[in-house]
Amino acid sequence: MEIKSNYSLKKHNTFGVDVSCNTFVTLTNQKEASDYVQNKLDKTQPYLLIGEGSNILFINDFEGTVIHMQNKGFEVLDETHKNVWIKAAAGEIWDDFVAWSVERKYAGAENLSLIPGTVGAAPIQNIGAYGIELSEIFNGLEAIEIETGELRRFYLRELQFGYRDSLFKQELKNKYIITAVILKLNKFPFFKIDYGNIKAELESMSYENLSIAIIRQAIINIRNRKLPDPKLRGNAGSFFKNPIVNQKMHNELIKRFPKLASYDLKNGSFKLAAAWLIDQAGFKGLKKGNVAVHENQALILTNLGQASGKELLSFSEEIQRKIEEMFGVELEREVNII
Ligand SMILES: Cc1cc2nc3c(=O)[nH]c(=O)nc-3n(C[C@H](O)[C@H](O)[C@H](O)COP(=O)(O)OP(=O)(O)OC[C@H]3O[C@@H](n4cnc5c(N)ncnc54)[C@H](O)[C@@H]3O)c2cc1C
């Protein structure tokens, strides 16, 4: 366990916003986490869990304790001829887990390659990309209850996973330290290559037989081209969620905007491409002070160097207002504002 006071969070958020916290605690195993919350954490003051800070925008210094779970390791819990159950420590980097599983030919996580952040944060917003969501390979998780220090196990059916959503983003937000995630992967791969430009990328690559390693490489290539590297330009990936509208609203929008980019969810509702809306509203590539909307992907807000959290938030609110005014659609934030 390591405890630091008046600690800068600049390196702990991918927006690179220069804020600090009163106390920063690094925990390296489950027992330490349990002891810490029972005996040392001042629960009368605010506290916050942090992984890699790739889905957080700090708009002020954090006047409380930031808890950083840094336990490590991957362990095969069980296997059959078809499946394998792996327990991954919360402090592991998500993409290291994907690389580890692909190397062993355990399939299911490859489409989630290169998503920044930790294993422990992955269930919080049910990370998703390229036609896959974490919920499809999630089996359970272990977490320490902050109030009592007790270890609890949660299973798939309890997590209430939704689009960039889970029980831990709602009722249980900030109530548990997730210490491990259990994933169920497949020994016989089922390739998911229909989404976005995966097929086109595969066509441009040379390989003999399609494999999960090739799909992982294709996704890494696409993401590296499309998304800004937070080390070079601060960002937190998609700032907004893709809005979901009902059939009536969708019909009205199509009449007004025949090229509307949307996806039929086949349940009477449609997912709109927020990037398309933001692009149509003229924000793509737009710079304002120290903030810009990324030139290749309108869903991403970037810090041009010295932006404060408030500046980033204010620009995001301007985008929300304009989208509401132009399309009558509410853009919900994906990023956590702290
Ligand atoms: C360039 C870029 C691309 C991205 N692309 C995608 C994408 O394709 N799909 C996608 O879904 N997301 C994407 N994201 C968002 C981000 O990678 C994910 O949300 C990721 O899971 C966040 O992990 P983190 O460790 O950085 O969490 P943090 O940002 O540190 O925290 C996120 C939330 O989880 C909570 N939390 C963190 N660790 C724990 C823990 N151990 N226990 C309990 N609560 C915890 C925090 O309190 C906070 O509420 C992208 C971000 C970037 C910068």
Side-chain angles (χ1 to χ4, degrees), residues 49 51-55 116-118 121 124-125 127-128 178 223 235 237:
L49 270 305
E52 290 286 291
S54 65
N55 201 20
T118 53
I124 305 279
Q125 72 152 1
I127 56 168
I178 295 174
R223 292 185 71 102
N235 75 90

Side-chain angles (χ1 to χ4, degrees), residues 19-245:
V19 288
S20 62
C21 60
N22 296 357
T23 308
F24 189 88
V25 182
T26 304
L27 300 168
T28 55
N29 61 59
Q30 226 165 38
K31 185 174 178 306
E32 226 173 61
S34 173
D35 289 348
Y36 178 75
V37 297
Q38 284 183 78
N39 304 317
K40 291 210 171 75
L41 177 65
D42 179 357
K43 294 177 195 137
T44 63
Q45 298 298 312
Y47 50 84
L48 170 77
L49 270 305
I50 200 167
E52 290 286 291
S54 65
N55 201 20
I56 289 180
L57 174 61
F58 287 102
I59 53 168
N60 285 309
D61 287 334
F62 190 75
E63 307 286 348
T65 301
V66 173
I67 304 170
H68 187 44
M69 194 66 212
Q70 267 283 285
N71 56 338
K72 298 284 177 192
F74 306 122
E75 183 191 348
V76 172
L77 291 181
D78 197 5
E79 55 188 307
T80 61
H81 78 289
K82 257 173 74 183
N83 294 110
V84 55
W85 286 260
I86 299 150
K87 180 164 150 180
E92 289 282 357
I93 296 298
W94 171 257
D95 192 54
D96 290 348
F97 166 71
V98 180
W100 183 93
S101 57
V102 167
E103 253 169 49
R104 283 158 184 78
K105 299 192 168 50
Y106 299 149
E110 57 280 1
N111 288 43
L112 303 177
S113 289
L114 219 61
I115 297 182
T118 53
V119 165
I124 305 279
Q125 72 152 1
N126 184 22
I127 56 168
Y130 294 94
I132 296 268
E133 287 185 338
L134 181 83
S135 55
E136 292 165 58
I137 52 168
F138 178 91
N139 181 253
L141 63 76
E142 291 180 0
I144 299 289
E145 190 178 21
I146 294 180
E147 194 52 41
T148 61
E150 273 169 29
L151 176 68
R152 260 208 67 184
R153 289 192 173 81
F154 291 86
Y155 295 96
L156 176 61
R157 61 185 180 280
E158 299 171 83
L159 264 272
Q160 298 173 21
F161 281 128
Y163 165 56
R164 300 294 184 273
D165 203 13
S166 78
L167 187 65
F168 283 87
K169 206 173 172 178
Q170 305 294 338
E171 286 114 281
L172 299 190
K173 193 182 169 92
N174 237 4
K175 294 207 162 41
Y176 284 85
I177 303 177
I178 295 174
T179 53
V181 178
I182 296 146
L183 300 129
K184 181 184 171 190
L185 298 182
N186 304 302
K187 292 186 178 172
F188 300 98
F190 173 73
F191 302 133
K192 284 208 173 177
I193 56 170
D194 288 331
Y195 192 92
N197 38 1
I198 304 180
K199 271 190 183 150
E201 184 62 30
L202 288 170
E203 275 163 25
S204 75
M205 293 166 63
S206 63
Y207 58 89
E208 275 181 17
N209 296 311
L210 187 60
S211 66
I212 56 171
I214 298 291
I215 294 176
R216 169 168 164 77
Q217 191 54 54
I219 284 165
I220 289 174
N221 295 347
I222 300 169
R223 292 185 71 102
N224 276 338
R225 265 199 315 271
K226 205 167 99 181
L227 304 176
D229 178 351
K231 288 196 193 88
L232 305 175
R233 214 195 267 184
N235 75 90
S238 302
F239 200 90
F240 303 104
K241 290 185 181 183
N242 289 316
I244 294 171
V245 298

